[in-house]
Amino acid sequence: MSGETGAGQPQYHQPVMCREVVDVLRDVPEGVVLDATVGDGGHTDALLENLPHIRLVGLDRDPEALMAAAERLAPHRHRVTLHRATFDALGTVLDSIGQDRISACLFDLGVSSRQLDRPERGFSYRLDGPLDMRMDPDGPVTAADIVNGESEDALAVLLRRNADERYARRIAAAVVAQRPFTTTRQLARTVAGAVPATTRRRAHPARRTFQALRIEVNGELEMLERSLTGAIDRLVDGGRCAVLSYHSGEDRIVKSVFRLAAGESPPPRPGLPPAPGAPATVRLLGRRSRTPTETEKAANHRAGSARLRAVERLDQRPSG
């Protein structure tokens, strides 16, 4: 989140699990670190402050985020370059600047506080605005296009796939019955009315629906697997890749990519014999994901679902 304090100083959103991210990447080799989802530059700023041996390349598809990051990172301007790009274009960006290998990469998945707190962006179920949800404002598809154009079956599928929504069918039926929708408040009210009252008392009932739509609008899950694989392939020996995810769909993909890269066998498919694992290119930095401290979760409700996983590139040089 960006704003102004009473003293006229910029106030920035505090990045999730910032200390843990810095600790994971602190000892990476000298060179370039790629922040594939730079946002307003919170993690990037901390990495540049604490890792004097690195330079940083930051990517984001949101031009407003890049403007905020440029302002925040101005003290480090000689060590950082920013590019407007989706994270699945990381290879293209690195090639364009002649950077074949990187010392580390960071993915902070999900939506930023800056986007959530701007009602005109359409990400928030709490603030009224247009049903947009595009991280790239030039993107071709909005949330309104999906909500008003997809069939009931298709809506139910994407709610389950992108958000593990227990009441996907009920919500999809209510949406189809009451569309068209133009605003976030209209949709949030319809979703709230479609789920049991007990669900409404625990958390906002539209949270998962908005998450599922945002993921669909921006194609987040589709690009994640190939982006992680591409980033790992670019790491130097001893380089590290760290990922912050915020829901089970993202975390399943991250865990699968990391474990396959670590040489573990892929999950067996029904009716087929188990497939052997490929040679390991990384080692897992912990079998379980790291989570925020209770203090951080109390201070920032958006950190509550965060999961941090990381791997380290193995030495691939031939022995002897």
Side-chain angles (χ1 to χ4, degrees), residues 24-264:
V24 165
L25 301 183
R26 187 181 302 278
D27 296 325
V28 299
E30 181 178 358
V32 167
V33 171
L34 174 71
D35 188 338
T37 50
V38 73
D40 70 2
H43 288 110
T44 302
D45 189 30
L47 290 170
L48 290 166
E49 284 284 350
N50 289 277
L51 281 64
H53 61 293
I54 69 163
R55 293 173 290 118
L56 203 136
V57 174
L59 311 182
D60 207 287
R61 69 175 89 181
D62 186 339
E64 290 185 4
L66 289 174
M67 289 177 61
E71 175 187 359
R72 184 173 194 164
L73 301 172
H76 308 289
R77 64 174 59 90
H78 300 301
R79 297 171 58 205
V80 61
T81 59
L82 302 175
H83 301 264
R84 185 179 177 185
T86 55
F87 55 70
D88 64 335
L90 63 89
T92 300
V93 172
L94 291 172
D95 287 342
S96 72
I97 61 175
Q99 190 65 46
D100 183 51
R101 297 290 177 183
I102 54 177
S103 296
C105 55
L106 171 66
F107 292 76
D108 181 11
L109 306 174
V111 66
S112 73
S113 293
R114 175 181 296 277
Q115 292 162 330
L116 284 169
D117 294 339
R118 296 280 298 278
E120 65 271 24
R121 300 297 300 271
F123 288 100
S124 176
Y125 47 78
R126 300 183 185 278
L127 304 173
D128 198 27
L131 263 179
D132 194 322
M133 302 193 196
R134 290 174 295 176
M135 291 183 177
D136 181 346
D138 296 328
V141 178
T142 68
D145 295 330
I146 294 172
V147 166
N148 295 321
E150 294 289 352
S151 68
E152 181 179 323
D153 286 343
L155 288 172
V157 167
L158 77 86
L159 288 174
R160 285 192 293 267
R161 181 184 65 234
N162 294 356
D164 294 326
E165 174 55 66
R166 179 180 179 184
Y167 302 105
R169 177 60 64 181
R170 293 172 63 159
I171 293 170
V175 166
V176 169
Q178 297 186 45
R179 64 190 185 189
F181 295 89
T182 58
T183 71
T184 54
R185 182 165 293 168
Q186 289 173 332
L187 180 61
R189 286 174 176 169
T190 294
V191 174
V195 302
T198 54
T199 301
R200 298 173 219 163
R201 289 196 291 267
R202 289 195 296 269
H204 198 293
R207 178 176 62 86
R208 291 181 182 270
T209 295
F210 274 62
Q211 170 188 296
L213 288 170
R214 186 207 81 222
I215 289 170
E216 197 72 13
V217 166
N218 297 289
E220 295 171 43
L221 297 186
E222 287 80 359
M223 67 175 68
L224 181 54
E225 181 174 350
R226 64 177 178 269
S227 301
L228 289 175
T229 301
I232 290 171
D233 288 344
R234 293 271 182 164
L235 290 175
V236 299
D237 296 338
R240 293 185 171 187
C241 179
V243 184
L244 277 165
S245 59
Y246 297 87
H247 70 86
S248 58
E250 293 171 341
D251 189 53
R252 281 194 295 268
I253 293 174
V254 176
K255 181 166 61 175
S256 175
V257 171
F258 280 3
R259 290 186 175 179
L260 287 174
E264 298 188 9

Side-chain angles (χ1 to χ4, degrees), residues 259-311:
R259 290 186 175 179
L260 287 174
E264 298 188 9
S265 298
R269 296 184 178 182
L272 296 176
T281 58
V282 303
R283 69 178 183 95
L284 303 174
L285 298 178
R287 296 293 302 179
R288 294 181 176 273
S289 61
R290 308 183 193 193
T291 57
T293 64
E294 292 302 318
T295 300
E296 180 173 4
K297 287 190 284 187
N300 179 8
H301 70 276
R302 290 170 181 163
S305 61
R307 299 290 182 271
L308 175 63
R309 295 184 186 272
V311 293

